Amino acid sequence: ERGGNNSFTHEALTLKYKLDNQFELVFVVGFQKILTLTYVDKLIDDVHKEFRDKYRNEFQQKGTLGLLNGTFDFKDDFMRLLRDAEESSKVRAPTVMKTFEQSLKSQKTVKCMIETRGEKPKEKVKNKKNKSSKKEGTEAVAASSKASAGDKQPSAAGEREELTKDEILQKNREEFFKRHMKAGEKSRSPKPEAQKEKGKKPRVWDLGNSNPKVLDYSNSATNGSAEACPVEEFDPDTALGDRNREPGRLYDLEYESDDEAEEEKVVQNPSKPSAKKGGLGGMFGMLKGLVGSKSLTREDMDPVLEKMKDHLIAKNVAAEIAVQLCESVAKKLEGKVMGTFTTVTSTVKQALQEALVQILQPQRRVDVLRDVMDAQRHRRPYVVTFCGVNGVGKSTNLAKISFWLIENGFSVLIAACDTFRAGAVEQLRTHTRRLNALHPPENHGGRTMVQLYEKGYGKDAAGIAMEAISYARNQGFDVVLVDTAGRMQDNAPLMTALAKLIAVNAPDLVLFVGEALVGNEAVDQLVKFNKALADHSMAQTPRLIDGIVLTKFDTIDDKVGAAISMTYITSKPIVFVGTGQTYCDLRSLNAKAVVAALMKA
């Protein structure tokens, strides 16, 4: 499964399997390895469909126990499907050898095949003609070149006769020296450049260390010991950024919008809409005139909605979601009677803003601090699992959330379950040292506020997470943050492993980490992550994504469409927003600020 292979070979047999995640069935076909059966994949697909459709009602009514106790008369159906699969592979019959009557040789006469002695085939004669013509051509060229040389020689001799002996001698000397000078230049080879030393030298970094013992972090017996994460001395300003902030507070996103000032300018002159073309800025500048006491029709809104759709797509909203948003606004406004001094553009814009704010404020709000305190009362750790694709910033934002929890007085255990990426464990170990330097044990009554639980690389991530939760329960940690390996949403074996980790450990919160730079890809990632967690889960009610961490928000200016795409497709809240590189660069989502940035022209 890890290599994406659905077959298994044992001695002389080969097995192929297919999973049915809906009813938790496994279909296996076995055959001799020496046979090259081309219809095996078709057979297992056909059997899967036929069996599932035939007993669907029985599965749904009786469940798993019904499968174990029930009897299924499927032999006749299987034999029919096997015959059909075998027949489909025989459709292409092997090519039959031609008879003599069908060959080209049978169409030739006996006379054309007789060769008389001394007579050569026509093709060879043609080739000879071509060769002779080439020879004649070369001879003619040679003769013409000789003639031209002969013409030159007497002219040169005539010139020599006109010159005196001394002049001829001087001329011959000059020609001799010229020839020798040219020969000398050719013989002189340029001096070879200094040969570069062979072999590649290792690069020496300014902050590096040449001693391998200092760089060796492979000691696995570090869990739970204070010496594993020694206090590191460094400038706290580089890690914290703003020193005037209130410790433990999660600030809202801020965004300044000029739309209100622009709208005020338009309202001051309602009688001159044509002169204010572009007053609302960009896509909202096309004023269609005042439409007092008129009910809106689809024809009135279509030009404005088209511009709004293009504007949303330009702001990184997924194209499919932008179309659906505009459709919902059109249905909401169609037939509505407008006021006297309002325009179609301003009405549609207002409706779209309300719809966007509603999307970004989902029904269930995730309050992490309240849930952690509730878990404390039950004497158990609060478990958070981070998942997402490669390179979105899971480990970095996990460290930011750790810092925020520590400032609120909670102890944190980080479980290093990314056992695949090189340097993943060392990255978390560095963050742990930094966090312990910012919050040393002496400031918290001798208690180490953050520790790392790791078992090295190449281990089962679900097992490490289970051990870490058990360790946190025994040692009295308040929160366990589980870091997982990045994986693409199309990689079925890795998605199965993630579903197993979540199903086995049952975390309190599953956070999907996505970056704000993506557009249509955000929808694809979230849909496939949720689908994979549902398909590969063994529970009747599978555990899906509970919330979103939106990273790299400081890199996108006002192109904030990924926030809309992610919340629209899952109806899950954006719990945290990453806005920079320091531990303090963590924000909560402010829906109005995001919508203001989105609507900015």
Side-chain angles (χ1 to χ4, degrees), residues 152-369:
K152 285 181 182 177
Q153 282 176 356
S155 63
E159 286 178 1
R160 285 190 179 181
E161 285 176 4
E162 292 175 3
L163 297 172
T164 60
K165 288 183 179 181
D166 293 334
E167 289 173 349
I168 292 169
L169 195 65
Q170 184 67 25
K171 194 173 183 181
N172 289 341
R173 278 180 186 170
E174 287 174 3
E175 288 176 1
F176 174 78
F177 281 121
K178 279 181 185 177
R179 282 199 299 272
H180 274 272
M181 288 291 287
K182 285 179 183 176
E185 286 174 4
K186 287 179 184 177
S187 62
R188 282 180 204 161
S189 60
K191 291 182 179 180
E193 296 179 3
Q195 290 184 355
K196 295 181 180 178
E197 294 181 9
K198 292 182 179 179
K200 189 175 180 181
K201 286 187 175 181
R203 182 169 181 175
V204 180
W205 298 93
D206 295 336
L207 301 176
N209 199 314
S210 58
N211 187 0
K213 292 182 180 178
V214 178
L215 300 174
D216 185 12
Y217 296 108
S218 59
N219 182 17
S220 60
T222 58
N223 296 317
S225 62
E227 296 177 0
C229 300
V231 175
E232 183 176 312
E233 293 182 2
F234 68 102
D235 184 12
D237 290 338
T238 59
L240 297 179
D242 185 12
R243 300 291 290 176
N244 299 322
R245 62 189 179 79
E246 183 182 337
R249 181 180 171 186
L250 194 64
Y251 288 89
D252 287 341
L253 275 175
E254 295 178 358
Y255 182 78
E256 294 179 3
S257 174
D258 301 330
D259 286 356
E260 293 177 5
E262 290 172 355
E263 286 174 7
E264 285 174 6
K265 290 179 185 177
V266 175
V267 171
Q268 286 172 3
N269 259 330
S271 58
K272 296 180 181 179
S274 60
K276 286 287 177 182
K277 188 174 182 180
L280 281 173
M283 67 177 230
F284 305 115
M286 300 295 291
L287 300 180
K288 299 295 181 183
L290 303 176
V291 288
S293 302
K294 178 190 172 185
S295 60
L296 276 174
T297 63
R298 191 61 185 259
E299 289 75 19
D300 295 331
M301 292 184 288
D302 276 345
V304 182
L305 288 171
E306 188 64 29
K307 284 181 177 291
M308 286 191 175
K309 184 191 75 174
D310 295 340
H311 177 80
L312 291 174
I313 293 171
K315 289 296 179 85
N316 264 1
V317 178
E320 182 185 350
I321 291 170
V323 172
Q324 291 175 9
L325 276 170
C326 291
E327 281 294 320
S328 65
V329 169
K331 288 177 182 176
K332 184 180 177 182
L333 293 178
E334 195 168 3
K336 182 182 177 182
V337 178
M338 298 175 60
T340 309
F341 294 104
T342 54
T343 60
V344 176
T345 304
S346 61
T347 305
V348 174
K349 178 185 175 184
Q350 184 65 30
L352 185 61
Q353 280 180 327
E354 291 172 2
L356 292 172
V357 171
Q358 194 174 358
I359 288 168
L360 289 171
Q361 291 177 339
Q363 297 173 355
R364 178 178 176 265
R365 179 176 174 82
V366 176
D367 192 337
V368 177
L369 297 180

Side-chain angles (χ1 to χ4, degrees), residues 42-104:
K42 182 181 184 305
L43 174 65
I44 200 168
D45 287 340
D46 292 344
V47 170
H48 170 221
K49 286 180 186 175
E50 187 89 11
F51 189 83
R52 184 190 60 190
D53 295 343
K54 186 173 182 180
Y55 299 105
R56 180 188 293 272
N57 295 331
E58 196 168 338
F59 297 153
Q60 291 172 344
Q61 290 169 6
K62 296 182 181 179
T64 310
L65 291 174
L67 283 175
L68 295 173
N69 300 326
T71 55
F72 302 96
D73 184 16
F74 195 69
K75 186 175 180 181
D76 295 336
D77 297 315
F78 173 74
M79 295 307 296
R80 175 176 54 80
L81 292 172
L82 180 61
R83 282 195 301 271
D84 292 344
E86 287 175 345
E87 288 298 324
S88 67
S89 66
K90 295 177 183 177
V91 171
R92 298 181 68 182
T95 53
V96 183
M97 187 181 293
K98 288 181 180 179
T99 60
F100 178 75
E101 286 76 16
Q102 293 172 336
S103 65
L104 293 172

Side-chain angles (χ1 to χ4, degrees), residues 400-502:
K400 292 180 186 179
I401 293 168
S402 300
F403 178 76
W404 173 68
L405 289 167
I406 293 166
E407 288 212 323
N408 281 282
F410 299 115
S411 58
V412 178
L413 180 69
I414 300 173
C417 295
D418 184 355
T419 61
F420 176 74
R421 176 171 64 90
V425 177
E426 286 76 12
Q427 181 185 4
L428 291 176
R429 190 178 286 125
T430 303
H431 280 306
T432 307
R433 285 205 306 270
R434 290 284 178 98
L435 291 169
N436 278 322
L438 290 169
H439 286 276
E442 52 266 25
N443 293 355
H444 298 274
R447 185 185 185 190
T448 304
M449 294 304 288
V450 57
Q451 287 185 22
L452 177 68
Y453 191 93
E454 54 98 358
K455 289 292 183 183
Y457 295 97
K459 307 292 192 305
D460 178 35
I464 295 174
M466 183 179 286
E467 291 176 20
I469 294 167
S470 176
Y471 178 82
R473 187 181 292 109
N474 295 333
Q475 298 296 323
F477 282 93
D478 300 319
V479 184
V480 179
L481 301 181
V482 180
D483 184 33
T484 62
R487 63 204 75 210
M488 293 307 292
Q489 63 269 24
D490 300 316
N491 193 324
L494 290 180
M495 293 306 298
T496 308
L498 178 65
K500 174 190 169 186
L501 185 147
I502 292 170

